[in-house]
Amino acid sequence: MSTTDDAMTMTSETLTIKKTSLKEKWWHIMDTWKVGIIPLPLFLLAGVLIAIDCLYGSLPSDIVVMVATLAFFGFACGEFGKRLPIVGKLGAAAICATFIPSAMVYYGLLPDTVVESTTRFYKSTNILYLYICCIIVGSIMSMNRDTLIQGFMRIFFPMLCGEIVGMLVGMGVGLSLGMEPFQIFFFIILPIMAGGVGEGAIPLSIGYAALLHMEQGVALGRILPMVMLGSLTAIIISGCLNQLGKRFPHLTGEGQLMPDRRNVDQPTASAPLFSAKTDVTTIAAGVLLAVLLYMIGMLGHKLIGLPAPVGMLFVAVLIKLVHGVSPRLLEGSQVVYKFFQTSVTYPILFAVGVAITPWQELLHAFTLNNLLVIVSTVSALVATGFVVGKKIGMHPIDVAIISCCQSGQGGTGDVAILTAGNRMSLMPFAQIATRIGGAINVSVSLLVLGNFLI
């Protein structure tokens, strides 16, 4: 009887071990096999559910379905880019997440229902601005006050030097190729540094239509591809700079422009420390803080015409400098920043690729002469930022990545460039480079065109 009891006990224990082992294997798959941040079983389930909706011909564009759709395609494209040999470490993930969807739309490889729903969702929700405002506020709240002040005071000089050298080099290369000076500057170099599409290419096309007596659509068609190619070049260079920083750590602050002279036990912008007090309500308050600051920026845009992200940026800096929020709320903002950086970037880039990145425009501008002028312009701009930043005591690689943003495709370009460079905490400075720098370039150039060349 005892032997039988022992055998039954051993059998029961064996079954328990087998059951536990099977459960642990499943948990192991859930925790370690991932596409981006998505556990593989959930990724496959999302793919099946999206496919079923597509087969029925109706993929809802509401936020619930779009969260799954953008996450599925965005992380799939990003993961593909990360796993590419060599270029996977040079920013290919951000490039693939943006331009593969654009190419799939153009060649008809993406279901029409996905394209329509994604485009409708992106344009109706302005989800990009929620992303940008949470990134800006979170990164500003993570910075040391002294570093923040010094960074904003010093960043303009490398930006100015970079633009001057970039323009001169681009003009020199274009002239050596036999291109017309007017064409080189106003239809290649200036669009690259105009600050993207909404704040750059469109105002330029309106100005050209009025001053050069051409159709705005024609002008935009010539400008937009240069903006895209300039941004693509900047993404690649930013990825290369990130690898350079890994090889030569003394050249980078890993997301900080200025050398950090604080005590070593204090958190840095690139590695914020979160205490156990950061609960869900604090994180929610951090989101609300970012949204309210953006609303203030929108109000400033209506009153004085300053772009809303820039107005929000200045208010956030002011709040940080005067200790306007508690340390606990600062931590909540940092958690929000980290969440959007890790979980929302690739879905956003996928939506951008589908909704507002015309693949055919990129192909039309892909000529050898255009490419040489664009690459030389952006490379000179970035190299100048690197050298000048080092000379004035800043981290040269981080300054150079901000210089990349001067030739980015607006807010979407900033996201892709900083993602490729793994420096999302530099978003506040990137917004200055893109929006303020672009606005100045467009205004001055149209003024010169209207008063001296026409």
Side-chain angles (χ1 to χ4, degrees), residues 4 69 133 173 245 276 287 387 400 409:
T4 305
T69 303
C133 73
V173 172
V287 175
V387 173
Q409 192 177 334

Side-chain angles (χ1 to χ4, degrees), residues 355-367:
I356 62 171
T357 307
W359 180 256
Q360 65 274 20
E361 299 289 351
L362 189 66
L363 293 180
H364 292 160
F366 212 87
T367 65

